[in-house]
Amino acid sequence: MNNLEFTVLVGLGSFMAGFLGALTGLGGGVVLVPLLTLIFKVDIRYAVGASLVSVIATSSGAAVAYLKDGFSNIRIGMFLEIATTVGALFGAFLAAKVSTSAIGAIFGLVLLYSGYLSSRTPVDPPPDQKPDPLATKLGMNGEYPSLAGPKSYNVHRVPLGFGLMFGAGGLSGLLGIGSGAVKVLAMDHAMGIPFKVSTTTSNFMIGVTAAASAGVYLSRGYVDPGLAMPVMLGVLAGSLAGARVLARTKTRQLRWIFGAVIVALGIEMLYGAFTGKL
Amino acid sequence: MFRTSDWTDQKVEVIIANLLRAGVMFAAVLVIIGGLIFLVRHGLSPASYHVFAGEPFELRNWKGIVRAALTLRGQGVIQLGLLCLIATPVARVAFSVFAFAIERDWLYVGIAAFVLGVLLYSLLGSAV
């Protein structure tokens, strides 16, 4: 395959990943690395480097769409970014120390967990009136617009959420993904933040987190311009197109299909890791 | 300069979001230009990413990247675009430090400054 053919094919694949990722809300990054490594036989370190760059592009490019409704909470986001950026640096350093098969195996497990999450419909935590004193001190409790007027919410278990976000950052730096799955665990389950608030807030955090490890990847020579070019442009165009179509489609079935694809890729990644093909 | 009442979180976020989008679009244009140069010159060479070799040193740090981009090397221009892209979230956090300072929320000035420090460490680490 020459560079021209490679650019076109990878660009198309990345467009599909970004498109389906935006449409299902599962993010395109999680299928990008398996796509590049399993189908295009790209070394996983190059694949992770290109994926990180595209994660920044989608996060920053979609920021405007996420802001209009006033759901995002900048204080929760900024505070948790302490954990995700330090975690991301740690993950990026780790990426140079562990074998590519180990990275592949961890990736496979994260894919299986993401696939499992995609089969569930998000449920808002029950409104509980006792916030974590730390959350009050940090000014995290807020309100969001709803049909019945502004609805207030409290933030819980800040230390647990903070710890989990360190893990989310670590996975992001190691695997080049947005870590949406761990984010859900930390913000929705541990901290009890309403689904819409956590989703919009994490969109911002994903870009900042990815930037923390992207610098390390760049200086280590893991970001290849010839590969990152079609990946970044494809994912960006795909996710912008997906966000446009989003309002007009039923995503339930699509989530199931995309979830099944994610699980299949997870099994394939694990198989590749254990047979030493990655 | 600004009345604090006009300077709400929400407004700040909208300004930031527009800056981010502009940054991403600028980066994308650079990547497209660089990509075209790259493909015109090397489009028919074989693509090989199976064996990991790492990028040449000049494409790993911003000084080398700027130099390669100024000589209109396709890969250098793409890499400069990617560098701009990585810089957009960093600019966003820097702007937040400023916005929290205007709100006189010193706790969050500190928090945002710490995050900015981590990002700059990562980004400028590639200068050495």
Side-chain angles (χ1 to χ4, degrees):
Chain A
M1 205 171 0
N2 67 36
N3 278 324
L4 191 60
E5 293 161 342
F6 184 83
T7 301
V8 171
L9 290 177
V10 168
L12 285 175
S14 305
F15 181 88
M16 283 310 290
F19 185 73
L20 289 174
L23 219 50
T24 54
L26 298 171
V30 81
V31 294
L32 205 60
V33 173
L35 179 81
L36 292 173
T37 52
L38 299 171
I39 295 173
F40 291 100
K41 306 289 174 207
V42 172
D43 183 279
I44 198 165
R45 287 163 288 198
Y46 281 142
V48 169
S51 175
L52 266 179
V53 169
S54 73
V55 164
I56 300 176
T58 44
S59 162
S60 296
V64 177
Y66 278 106
L67 276 170
K68 274 185 284 189
D69 315 319
F71 285 110
S72 66
N73 184 320
I74 189 175
R75 286 188 167 73
I76 295 178
M78 193 57 76
F79 178 72
L80 293 179
E81 273 164 10
I82 294 178
T84 61
T85 51
V86 173
L89 271 189
F90 181 69
F93 283 118
L94 211 60
K97 304 270 182 254
V98 298
S99 69
T100 50
S101 332
I103 297 176
I106 298 170
F107 211 118
L109 292 175
V110 171
L111 282 169
L112 292 183
Y113 179 64
S114 305
Y116 160 73
L117 276 184
S118 72
S119 68
R120 302 177 4 156
T121 19
V123 186
D124 271 346
D128 175 353
Q129 291 314 305
K130 271 189 300 171
D132 185 331
L134 195 56
T136 311
K137 215 171 181 180
L138 289 164
M140 287 175 163
N141 304 317
E143 52 183 38
Y144 64 91
S146 77
L147 288 176
K151 222 172 153 183
S152 64
Y153 57 90
N154 288 329
V155 177
H156 313 275
R157 288 184 286 187
V158 174
L160 177 63
F162 191 82
L164 286 168
M165 286 317 258
F166 178 82
L171 284 178
S172 170
L174 186 63
L175 308 177
I177 58 176
S179 287
V182 188
K183 183 277 307 174
V184 171
L185 199 66
M187 290 172 89
D188 301 24
H189 293 286
M191 299 174 77
I193 299 168
F195 177 69
K196 281 198 165 169
V197 176
S198 73
T199 309
T200 49
T201 303
S202 82
N203 173 66
F204 255 0
M205 298 176 54
I206 284 169
V208 173
T209 307
S213 36
V216 177
Y217 274 78
L218 188 79
S219 60
R220 218 188 268 139
Y222 289 11
V223 178
D224 183 273
L227 175 67
M229 178 245 309
V231 169
M232 177 255 181
L233 293 176
V235 172
L236 181 62
S239 63
L240 291 179
R244 287 231 169 130
V245 181
L246 185 60
R248 290 184 268 127
T249 40
K250 285 198 170 163
T251 56
R252 216 184 132 74
Q253 268 183 324
L254 207 60
R255 272 179 77 91
W256 271 98
I257 298 167
F258 197 55
V261 171
I262 288 176
V263 169
L265 287 172
I267 294 168
E268 191 77 29
M269 281 299 268
L270 281 172
Y271 177 77
F274 284 110
T275 51
K277 280 187 193 149
L278 285 177
Chain B
M1 186 160 72
F2 299 102
R3 290 210 318 274
T4 35
S5 57
D6 290 343
W7 197 251
T8 58
D9 280 10
Q10 179 66 15
K11 275 191 183 166
V12 169
E13 291 284 83
V14 171
I15 297 170
I16 293 174
N18 283 308
L19 284 177
L20 285 178
R21 190 165 61 173
V24 170
M25 291 309 155
F26 178 70
V29 167
L30 278 179
V31 171
I32 290 170
I33 295 170
L36 289 175
I37 300 174
F38 171 70
L39 287 177
V40 165
R41 290 195 187 150
H42 306 284
L44 300 178
S45 328
S48 130
Y49 297 101
H50 185 50
V51 180
F52 181 78
E55 294 311 300
F57 182 71
E58 64 159 356
L59 292 178
R60 295 184 188 196
N61 64 86
W62 65 269
K63 278 181 199 154
I65 290 171
V66 168
R67 217 174 296 135
L70 285 177
T71 54
L72 287 183
R73 276 190 53 199
Q75 291 173 310
V77 179
I78 295 174
Q79 214 76 332
L80 184 64
L82 299 180
L83 208 53
C84 290
L85 185 68
I86 298 173
T88 52
V90 183
R92 182 222 139 189
V93 175
F95 192 83
S96 296
V97 175
F98 166 75
F100 281 127
I102 284 180
E103 288 184 35
R104 299 181 182 280
D105 187 338
W106 304 119
L107 175 64
Y108 273 88
V109 169
I111 290 172
F114 178 86
V115 174
L116 184 63
V118 174
L119 291 174
L120 288 178
Y121 168 76
S122 165
L123 196 61
L124 299 181
S126 58
V128 233

